[in-house]
Amino acid sequence: MTRRDRGRVGLPWLLGTLVLVGALVAAVAFGWTTGRLNPLVCGGACGPEAVATPAGLTLDTVPERTAPDPVVTRRPDPDAVRAAVGGLLDDPDLGGRVGVSVSALDGTSLLDRDASATFVPASTTKLLTAYAALSRLDPTARFSTSTVLDGERVVLVGGGDPYLASTRPGRPTRVDRADLRTLAGRTAEALRSAGRTSVRIGYDAGLFTGPAVNPTWESSYVADQVVTPVSALWADQGERDGVRSTTPAQDATARFAVYLRDAGIRVRGDATRADPGSSAQPLAVVRSATVAQVVDAMLVRSDNEAAEVLLRHVGIAAGGAGSVADGTRAVVATLRENDVPVPGLRLRDGSGLSRANRIAPATLAGVLRAASARAATAPLLADLPVGGFTGTLANRFGTDSAGRGLVRAKTGTLTGVHSLAGYVTDRDGTPLVFAVMTDDTEDVNPFVTQAAIDDVAAALAGCSCGG
């Protein structure tokens, strides 16, 4: 074979290469559209910011309104809505009790089936917590974790950062994370500047009050590793090596002490609870993600711990203490102040883990409409998981569903309980707010009930409901 021959590309090799490249492109396209590339692209389920917003989903840009300007000019037709979903609501897979509310953004009722009856809401409770947090707290505010020097003792002071980490994550995460190792390094530097190389250590988690474990939760939740006792001071939400701590403040402080030693400070004795006086000297501080970022992560992940921490901050912002009771009172007051309908509302926590909660579909739909009306709360709608793409909806609304990419909603699931509340744009680009709730499905396969609820939302997406 001549040099010239060796430089040629044989036709079979060329054809094989083209086929291989074509298959690779097809595989990437399939992985992208189905979301199976999410772990590579986003390091997990992609957030709403990674999804091209379908036409009509522009509620995150709703400005503050002082006049009753309609958000959309097309008025939905109640008859078209009922025709689209009416038959689906009689599906026995939805169980014995079903409540539904579908409305326009201006509050016009389009479909009401037991919308004022109350149901166990599960995690759709987080919609109320998120709305109250964005209403009562500055969305740009951050929670501080700090250290102070009180005599011979360094005190680690918890500021209620739900996403405080032990160490800085190795790669970017959805939510900014302050970390204990960084705080220890800054504290060590401040101590050396003050001429100290040896200290005792304590912790102050007194920002939150009341029981750390909600008395209305199932008694097994902590033992079964469902949830961490709520604390104003923890690291990694009290988890280490997949195990949840029952004493998160003490464990976070013990970890901090290790990092302080690594930074060259001698730590004498064990960590103890402390109440630093007014004469304590500030040493160092790290700050959390913004409230807006925390709300986003909480909704997309349906994060129980973050919801319970936010609830306590809401209580404090409303003038109460950092207890669950103060938080729930503040949430209810926020809803009433903003004319959200609250028929029969009973709120016992911020996450929806409590089966003692009772919320009506009209309340869930109402809080979504109220969120769309103000710039401070409108991001709540953009934070909702996208059907088929993100968060708790990443594996729902498959490629053949009319709701894929058009449904943005918060899920709620407990044994025998399923709910879905959010908004959808129909085929005409008309936004529809909806809530579907059922809490009597113990005898039905949960995935079957989940699919039946998704069918209702998908039917709204496939409907030409605009008048």
Short mmCIF file of all heavy atoms in Angstrom, two decimals, residues 107-142:
data_model
loop_
_atom_site.label_atom_id
_atom_site.label_comp_id
_atom_site.label_asym_id
_atom_site.label_seq_id
_atom_site.Cartn_x
_atom_site.Cartn_y
_atom_site.Cartn_z
N GLY A 107 -59.10 34.75 39.64
CA GLY A 107 -59.93 34.17 40.68
C GLY A 107 -61.24 33.60 40.19
O GLY A 107 -61.98 32.99 40.97
N THR A 108 -61.55 33.76 38.91
CA THR A 108 -62.78 33.20 38.36
C THR A 108 -62.76 31.68 38.50
O THR A 108 -61.85 31.01 38.02
CB THR A 108 -62.94 33.57 36.88
OG1 THR A 108 -62.96 34.99 36.76
CG2 THR A 108 -64.23 33.00 36.31
N SER A 109 -63.79 31.13 39.14
CA SER A 109 -63.86 29.69 39.33
C SER A 109 -64.27 29.02 38.03
O SER A 109 -65.24 29.41 37.38
CB SER A 109 -64.86 29.35 40.43
OG SER A 109 -64.98 27.94 40.56
N LEU A 110 -63.50 28.01 37.64
CA LEU A 110 -63.79 27.28 36.41
C LEU A 110 -64.30 25.87 36.69
O LEU A 110 -65.03 25.30 35.88
CB LEU A 110 -62.52 27.20 35.55
CG LEU A 110 -61.89 28.55 35.19
CD1 LEU A 110 -60.56 28.34 34.50
CD2 LEU A 110 -62.83 29.37 34.32
N LEU A 111 -63.88 25.31 37.80
CA LEU A 111 -64.36 23.99 38.20
C LEU A 111 -64.18 23.88 39.71
O LEU A 111 -63.10 24.17 40.23
CB LEU A 111 -63.59 22.87 37.50
CG LEU A 111 -64.15 21.45 37.65
CD1 LEU A 111 -63.78 20.61 36.43
CD2 LEU A 111 -63.62 20.77 38.90
N ASP A 112 -65.23 23.47 40.39
CA ASP A 112 -65.22 23.39 41.85
C ASP A 112 -65.91 22.10 42.25
O ASP A 112 -67.12 21.96 42.10
CB ASP A 112 -65.94 24.61 42.43
CG ASP A 112 -65.97 24.62 43.96
OD1 ASP A 112 -65.93 23.53 44.55
OD2 ASP A 112 -66.07 25.71 44.53
N ARG A 113 -65.12 21.15 42.72
CA ARG A 113 -65.69 19.92 43.26
C ARG A 113 -65.16 19.74 44.67
O ARG A 113 -64.00 19.40 44.87
CB ARG A 113 -65.34 18.71 42.39
CG ARG A 113 -65.88 17.40 42.98
CD ARG A 113 -65.60 16.19 42.12
NE ARG A 113 -66.37 16.21 40.89
CZ ARG A 113 -66.57 15.12 40.12
NH1 ARG A 113 -66.06 13.96 40.50
NH2 ARG A 113 -67.25 15.22 39.01
N ASP A 114 -66.01 20.01 45.64
CA ASP A 114 -65.60 19.95 47.05
C ASP A 114 -64.34 20.78 47.29
O ASP A 114 -63.47 20.41 48.09
CB ASP A 114 -65.37 18.50 47.49
CG ASP A 114 -66.67 17.73 47.63
OD1 ASP A 114 -67.71 18.36 47.86
OD2 ASP A 114 -66.65 16.49 47.49
N ALA A 115 -64.26 21.93 46.62
CA ALA A 115 -63.05 22.76 46.72
C ALA A 115 -62.91 23.40 48.09
O ALA A 115 -61.80 23.81 48.47
CB ALA A 115 -63.07 23.84 45.65
N SER A 116 -64.01 23.52 48.85
CA SER A 116 -63.93 24.11 50.19
C SER A 116 -63.86 23.06 51.28
O SER A 116 -63.74 23.40 52.45
CB SER A 116 -65.14 25.03 50.43
OG SER A 116 -65.08 26.15 49.55
N ALA A 117 -63.95 21.78 50.90
CA ALA A 117 -63.77 20.70 51.87
C ALA A 117 -62.28 20.58 52.18
O ALA A 117 -61.43 20.91 51.35
CB ALA A 117 -64.31 19.40 51.31
N THR A 118 -61.95 20.12 53.38
CA THR A 118 -60.54 20.02 53.74
C THR A 118 -60.05 18.59 53.63
O THR A 118 -60.78 17.63 53.84
CB THR A 118 -60.30 20.52 55.17
OG1 THR A 118 -61.06 19.75 56.09
CG2 THR A 118 -60.65 22.00 55.28
N PHE A 119 -58.76 18.47 53.28
CA PHE A 119 -58.10 17.19 53.08
C PHE A 119 -56.75 17.20 53.79
O PHE A 119 -56.20 18.27 54.08
CB PHE A 119 -57.87 16.93 51.58
CG PHE A 119 -59.12 16.79 50.77
CD1 PHE A 119 -59.86 17.92 50.42
CD2 PHE A 119 -59.57 15.56 50.35
CE1 PHE A 119 -61.02 17.81 49.67
CE2 PHE A 119 -60.73 15.44 49.61
CZ PHE A 119 -61.46 16.56 49.26
N VAL A 120 -56.22 16.01 54.05
CA VAL A 120 -54.84 15.92 54.51
C VAL A 120 -53.98 16.34 53.33
O VAL A 120 -54.03 15.71 52.27
CB VAL A 120 -54.49 14.50 54.96
CG1 VAL A 120 -53.02 14.42 55.41
CG2 VAL A 120 -55.42 14.02 56.07
N PRO A 121 -53.18 17.40 53.46
CA PRO A 121 -52.51 17.97 52.28
C PRO A 121 -51.16 17.37 51.94
O PRO A 121 -50.65 17.57 50.84
CB PRO A 121 -52.35 19.43 52.67
CG PRO A 121 -52.19 19.38 54.16
CD PRO A 121 -53.06 18.25 54.65
N ALA A 122 -50.54 16.68 52.89
CA ALA A 122 -49.15 16.23 52.72
C ALA A 122 -48.27 17.42 52.33
O ALA A 122 -48.48 18.53 52.84
CB ALA A 122 -49.07 15.08 51.71
N SER A 123 -47.34 17.24 51.41
CA SER A 123 -46.33 18.27 51.16
C SER A 123 -46.82 19.49 50.39
O SER A 123 -46.05 20.45 50.22
CB SER A 123 -45.13 17.66 50.42
OG SER A 123 -44.31 16.95 51.33
N THR A 124 -48.07 19.49 49.93
CA THR A 124 -48.57 20.74 49.35
C THR A 124 -48.69 21.82 50.43
O THR A 124 -48.83 23.00 50.12
CB THR A 124 -49.92 20.55 48.65
OG1 THR A 124 -50.82 19.85 49.52
CG2 THR A 124 -49.76 19.77 47.35
N THR A 125 -48.60 21.42 51.70
CA THR A 125 -48.51 22.38 52.81
C THR A 125 -47.36 23.36 52.59
O THR A 125 -47.43 24.52 53.00
CB THR A 125 -48.29 21.62 54.13
OG1 THR A 125 -49.35 20.69 54.33
CG2 THR A 125 -48.24 22.57 55.32
N LYS A 126 -46.30 22.89 51.94
CA LYS A 126 -45.12 23.74 51.72
C LYS A 126 -45.44 24.97 50.89
O LYS A 126 -44.70 25.97 50.95
CB LYS A 126 -44.01 22.92 51.08
CG LYS A 126 -43.44 21.81 51.96
CD LYS A 126 -42.31 21.08 51.27
CE LYS A 126 -41.69 20.01 52.17
NZ LYS A 126 -42.52 18.81 52.29
N LEU A 127 -46.50 24.94 50.09
CA LEU A 127 -46.89 26.14 49.35
C LEU A 127 -47.26 27.27 50.30
O LEU A 127 -46.92 28.43 50.06
CB LEU A 127 -48.08 25.82 48.43
CG LEU A 127 -47.79 24.92 47.23
CD1 LEU A 127 -49.10 24.56 46.52
CD2 LEU A 127 -46.82 25.59 46.26
N LEU A 128 -47.95 26.93 51.36
CA LEU A 128 -48.34 27.94 52.34
C LEU A 128 -47.11 28.48 53.07
O LEU A 128 -46.98 29.68 53.30
CB LEU A 128 -49.34 27.36 53.35
CG LEU A 128 -50.82 27.30 52.92
CD1 LEU A 128 -51.01 26.49 51.65
CD2 LEU A 128 -51.67 26.72 54.04
N THR A 129 -46.20 27.57 53.44
CA THR A 129 -44.98 27.98 54.12
C THR A 129 -44.14 28.89 53.23
O THR A 129 -43.61 29.92 53.68
CB THR A 129 -44.16 26.74 54.52
OG1 THR A 129 -44.98 25.86 55.30
CG2 THR A 129 -42.92 27.12 55.32
N ALA A 130 -44.01 28.51 51.97
CA ALA A 130 -43.21 29.31 51.03
C ALA A 130 -43.81 30.69 50.83
O ALA A 130 -43.09 31.70 50.82
CB ALA A 130 -43.12 28.57 49.69
N TYR A 131 -45.13 30.75 50.69
CA TYR A 131 -45.78 32.04 50.48
C TYR A 131 -45.58 32.95 51.70
O TYR A 131 -45.27 34.14 51.55
CB TYR A 131 -47.27 31.83 50.22
CG TYR A 131 -48.03 33.13 50.02
CD1 TYR A 131 -47.88 33.86 48.85
CD2 TYR A 131 -48.87 33.62 51.01
CE1 TYR A 131 -48.56 35.05 48.66
CE2 TYR A 131 -49.56 34.81 50.83
CZ TYR A 131 -49.40 35.52 49.66
OH TYR A 131 -50.07 36.71 49.48
N ALA A 132 -45.75 32.40 52.89
CA ALA A 132 -45.56 33.19 54.10
C ALA A 132 -44.12 33.65 54.24
O ALA A 132 -43.84 34.78 54.67
CB ALA A 132 -46.00 32.39 55.33
N ALA A 133 -43.16 32.78 53.88
CA ALA A 133 -41.75 33.15 53.98
C ALA A 133 -41.41 34.31 53.04
O ALA A 133 -40.73 35.26 53.43
CB ALA A 133 -40.87 31.95 53.67
N LEU A 134 -41.91 34.25 51.81
CA LEU A 134 -41.64 35.32 50.86
C LEU A 134 -42.39 36.59 51.21
O LEU A 134 -42.00 37.69 50.81
CB LEU A 134 -42.00 34.87 49.44
CG LEU A 134 -41.12 33.75 48.86
CD1 LEU A 134 -41.66 33.29 47.52
CD2 LEU A 134 -39.67 34.21 48.72
N SER A 135 -43.49 36.46 51.95
CA SER A 135 -44.27 37.62 52.37
C SER A 135 -43.70 38.29 53.61
O SER A 135 -43.65 39.52 53.71
CB SER A 135 -45.73 37.21 52.65
OG SER A 135 -46.36 36.73 51.49
N ARG A 136 -43.26 37.48 54.59
CA ARG A 136 -42.84 38.01 55.89
C ARG A 136 -41.34 38.31 55.95
O ARG A 136 -40.91 39.16 56.74
CB ARG A 136 -43.17 36.99 56.99
CG ARG A 136 -44.64 36.73 57.19
CD ARG A 136 -45.27 37.79 58.06
NE ARG A 136 -46.68 37.50 58.36
CZ ARG A 136 -47.45 38.28 59.07
NH1 ARG A 136 -46.96 39.39 59.60
NH2 ARG A 136 -48.71 37.96 59.29
N LEU A 137 -40.54 37.61 55.17
CA LEU A 137 -39.09 37.77 55.22
C LEU A 137 -38.61 38.51 53.98
O LEU A 137 -39.23 38.44 52.92
CB LEU A 137 -38.42 36.40 55.30
CG LEU A 137 -38.87 35.46 56.41
CD1 LEU A 137 -38.23 34.08 56.24
CD2 LEU A 137 -38.54 36.03 57.78
N ASP A 138 -37.48 39.18 54.10
CA ASP A 138 -36.84 39.80 52.95
C ASP A 138 -36.27 38.69 52.07
O ASP A 138 -35.41 37.92 52.52
CB ASP A 138 -35.73 40.73 53.43
CG ASP A 138 -34.97 41.39 52.29
OD1 ASP A 138 -35.25 41.09 51.11
OD2 ASP A 138 -34.08 42.22 52.59
N PRO A 139 -36.72 38.55 50.81
CA PRO A 139 -36.22 37.47 49.96
C PRO A 139 -34.71 37.50 49.76
O PRO A 139 -34.11 36.48 49.42
CB PRO A 139 -36.95 37.69 48.63
CG PRO A 139 -38.19 38.43 49.00
CD PRO A 139 -37.78 39.32 50.14
N THR A 140 -34.07 38.67 49.98
CA THR A 140 -32.62 38.76 49.81
C THR A 140 -31.86 38.55 51.12
O THR A 140 -30.63 38.55 51.13
CB THR A 140 -32.22 40.14 49.24
OG1 THR A 140 -32.51 41.16 50.20
CG2 THR A 140 -32.98 40.43 47.95
N ALA A 141 -32.58 38.35 52.22
CA ALA A 141 -31.94 38.17 53.53
C ALA A 141 -31.22 36.83 53.60
O ALA A 141 -31.57 35.87 52.90
CB ALA A 141 -32.98 38.27 54.64
N ARG A 142 -30.20 36.77 54.47
CA ARG A 142 -29.44 35.54 54.69
C ARG A 142 -29.39 35.25 56.19
O ARG A 142 -29.43 36.17 57.00
CB ARG A 142 -28.02 35.67 54.13
CG ARG A 142 -27.98 35.90 52.63
CD ARG A 142 -26.56 36.17 52.13
NE ARG A 142 -26.52 36.52 50.73
CZ ARG A 142 -26.37 35.66 49.72
NH1 ARG A 142 -26.21 34.36 50.00
NH2 ARG A 142 -26.34 36.06 48.48
#
